[in-house]
Each structure stands twice: as C-alpha cells, then as structure tokens.
Amino acid sequence: MNKYIITDRRTGLGDVLLNLSACWYLGQRYNRDVIVDWRRLPYNLKSTETWKRHEVNLFHCLFMCPPKLQGVNFLFPENFDEISFGPKTKDGYPFDLDHLPIVDQESKSFKTEDELLKNSNEKFIRCSMRMGQKNDCFHRLRTINKDNFNYWFFINSMPFALPIEEEINDFRKKVNSKTVGIHFRHGNGEDWWMAGKPKFDNLEEAVNQIVEDAKKNLKGSLDKYNFKIFSDNPTAREMLFEKLPNSEKSSSKLPEENEGPLHFDINSYPIKSLQDSFLDMMKLSHCTYLLYTEHSTFAIPAVHNISKDRAFKLFK
C-alpha cells in the first residue's frame, strides 16, 4: 500500500483505542495502511492555556510496533518526512496535520467520505471516527463486536511494551475467583452523572449505591471478595476503598476535584499518566467480576473479556 489513514481522535484513552480500531477497519476496507499518531492527545498537554505539548508519540509508551493485521500495516508519522513535523500553528503546536483532509466522525455524507478514502491522489488522510459510536456513514462502526471484529482480540493484537506486559502479568497472578473490579466513571468536573442514570445529591450517595449494587449482585457476604477500585474521581476512589472490605485502590495520580473530566493529571509526565490509565484499564479487564458504569469507553475491554454472568452495570 502507498496510501494511509492517520489516527486523529484527540480524546481520552478509551476513545483513542476505539479510533485506532476504526482506522484499522477503514484501512482494510479501502486498502490503506494505518499511521498511529498519538502526538496530540490530552495527555501530551503541558498547559491548557498555551496548548504547548510534550513532543512525543505516546503510542510507543504502551505498545511495540504491531504486526500486519489482516493485510493492514501499522506505521508512525516518524516514518514519513512529510508528516513527521507538520506545519506549525498556535493551536496545533508542535505537530499540526490539520491541513490534511479528514474522515470526520460528525460527517453525514457517506458519498463524501467514500470518495475521499478512495481518492488515490490523497496519500494521507486523517480519521476521527471510532468504533462503538453513532455513525451516519459507516454503520459497521456503530458496534464493537461482530463476527469479523473482536475488540478484546484487537487490543491484544497490539504487542505491549515490556514494562506494561510485566505489570499486567504480575496483577493477573494476584487475581483469584473472588476478585471484583469496580469502575466508577464519575467524570471529574462534569455536572452530569451518566446519561439515563439517577441524579445523586452528592458523591457519597452515589458511592453508597455502588456498595448496595455490590451486595445485590455478588453472592454471599462482601467479606468473601477482594475489590480492586478504579475511578477517575479521587474522592470517590477513596470512599469506595473505605467502604468495601478487602479492597485495594489504584495508585494512579488523578487531578483534583473539578480540574478536568479525563483520567489523567496534567501535572504528571504524559508517559506515566497514560501508562497508569492503560494499566488501570487492563487490570480492570482481568478481574473475575465486574461492576461498571455504563457508557464509559474505559470499561469496554473488561465488558468484553469478563463473562456476562459476572459483569454488572451500576445504577440500574
């Protein structure tokens, strides 16, 4: 192939991985290789005021170079002089590829996107689409798991960087038949709890409901289980740790209350921040039981790896 589709979803970790899978799907469909460009993720930010960023492609801190997958190669902007350092602008500093055409998640015209992806004169095309979200152009992207695509398999087709693989393996050795992963997606700094879910007067009320959901869905006393707690809210994480027996909380550094909705700390170096988030995501997916917040892309790997009879939505 000599045509490429570039990942361009500038969001949190869950969305970024779903964007990578969508780029792979479209690359397979339109005979384009995928260029993985994670240089403009929120984790790269040095300042939300100046938009200055750490100049690093964060994909490399989680994964090694993936093998060819069903005919699609995975490459990086560092492999191409013409996009390794794009035109500099204030908003896009230091790597701005906004001059390239994009297959936009919000597009309503299949014809427009189809013609762009087929255009042999467009060597590089960006893509902001992702799996698992309403899509007017490609209905296949609306769902995550089908016969021809398994999200859990896809993530594990990306070879982990050695430190990541070692920590995941160490965690798996500690998991037993009574290990419960709890993921509470609060959305730090947001004024809503999750679409369609009950509105709580305060955070403790929500945490108490999680404890009640654990009692309802797990057989026998909670003392028989050990709980692994993951949340994007430091106060909620601490409350759950105090209220649940035999519990262990993630050590990921989180922003203070009302400092941002993403699962990272802007004052942390981006490599550690993203690695911590990814390790939380993968550790959650290797627990035996799961209690999770609906509509959170962070919990999707766990939902697709833990058996359905042991995975329970919170706040039902």
Side-chain angles (χ1 to χ4, degrees):
M1 296 183 187
N2 57 6
K3 297 183 298 179
Y4 306 94
I5 185 165
I6 305 171
T7 60
D8 198 2
R9 186 88 175 188
R10 306 167 198 179
T11 50
L13 175 61
D15 261 23
V16 167
L17 289 169
L18 289 165
N19 172 239
L20 176 60
S21 60
C23 288
W24 168 79
Y25 167 78
L26 292 173
Q28 188 180 31
R29 177 168 174 171
Y30 287 94
N31 197 35
R32 289 179 176 268
D33 284 329
V34 172
I35 296 175
V36 188
D37 188 355
W38 288 10
R39 297 177 296 179
R40 287 194 290 176
L41 304 188
Y43 303 88
N44 291 76
L45 283 175
K46 292 180 179 179
S47 167
T48 55
E49 295 180 358
T50 64
W51 297 101
K52 289 186 177 180
R53 302 170 186 271
H54 297 276
E55 300 185 18
V56 58
N57 188 351
L58 288 175
F59 182 85
H60 303 301
C61 76
L62 300 184
F63 304 102
M64 296 185 288
C65 183
K68 180 184 288 189
L69 186 60
Q70 295 185 18
V72 176
N73 293 302
F74 295 90
L75 302 135
F76 306 97
E78 302 94 301
N79 302 132
F80 302 89
D81 290 343
E82 54 264 67
I83 62 170
S84 59
F85 291 93
K88 309 292 189 299
T89 70
K90 181 177 179 181
D91 290 338
Y93 179 87
F95 304 105
D96 186 0
L97 302 182
D98 288 348
H99 62 292
L100 297 176
I102 187 167
V103 179
D104 192 353
Q105 172 65 41
E106 303 304 320
S107 176
K108 305 294 183 183
S109 171
F110 170 77
K111 181 180 179 181
T112 299
E113 307 307 329
D114 182 61
E115 289 177 350
L116 174 60
L117 286 161
K118 288 179 177 176
N119 189 343
S120 59
N121 294 320
E122 295 290 357
K123 182 177 180 180
F124 299 108
I125 294 174
R126 297 177 294 134
C127 174
S128 67
M129 292 184 177
R130 74 163 173 86
M131 289 280 190
Q133 186 173 20
K134 182 180 179 182
N135 192 297
D136 292 310
C137 299
F138 300 98
H139 291 187
R140 175 63 189 84
L141 295 182
R142 293 182 180 182
T143 55
I144 293 175
N145 274 12
K146 288 287 186 181
D147 292 340
N148 64 341
F149 178 76
N150 180 287
Y151 185 59
W152 179 248
F153 171 79
F154 179 81
I155 289 179
N156 285 278
S157 296
M158 307 288 114
F160 298 144
L162 188 58
I164 298 294
E165 184 176 27
E166 289 178 344
E167 186 157 344
I168 292 172
N169 287 338
D170 286 344
F171 178 83
R172 292 178 66 182
K173 293 174 184 176
K174 301 173 184 177
V175 170
N176 58 36
S177 62
K178 297 291 186 180
T179 300
V180 183
I182 294 185
H183 178 244
F184 177 30
R185 164 60 159 84
H186 167 43
N188 198 19
E190 297 173 353
D191 59 3
W192 51 276
W193 289 87
M194 289 313 291
K197 297 304 165 193
K199 304 293 181 181
F200 297 99
D201 292 331
N202 54 64
L203 186 59
E204 186 171 16
E205 187 178 329
V207 169
N208 287 338
Q209 184 60 56
I210 293 173
V211 176
E212 291 303 312
D213 283 356
K215 292 177 180 177
K216 178 179 68 176
N217 291 300
L218 300 174
K219 297 179 180 178
S221 171
L222 296 188
D223 292 329
K224 297 180 180 180
Y225 297 87
N226 54 91
F227 294 89
K228 307 295 183 183
I229 301 167
F230 306 94
S231 178
D232 60 358
N233 182 287
T235 304
R237 188 169 66 182
E238 189 65 34
M239 285 182 177
L240 286 166
F241 175 71
E242 293 175 355
K243 291 176 180 290
L244 290 168
N246 309 316
S247 61
E248 179 182 353
K249 58 185 177 181
S250 165
S251 60
S252 298
K253 188 176 180 180
L254 297 174
E256 298 298 324
E257 297 288 337
N258 302 316
E259 289 297 321
L262 291 175
H263 190 172
F264 81 109
D265 178 13
I266 196 170
N267 296 311
S268 173
Y269 189 62
I271 289 177
K272 176 171 173 50
S273 187
L274 185 65
Q275 285 180 333
D276 283 349
S277 294
F278 183 72
L279 285 167
D280 277 3
M281 175 185 284
M282 296 306 292
K283 288 176 181 179
L284 180 72
S285 69
H286 284 294
C287 292
T288 314
Y289 291 86
L290 173 67
L291 279 80
Y292 67 100
T293 309
E294 193 175 10
H295 303 308
S296 172
T297 58
F298 191 89
I300 287 176
V303 170
H304 290 290
N305 188 49
I306 298 173
S307 62
K308 292 182 179 180
D309 61 333
R310 294 186 175 185
F312 309 100
K313 293 178 185 178
L314 294 168
F315 315 126
K316 286 185 66 175

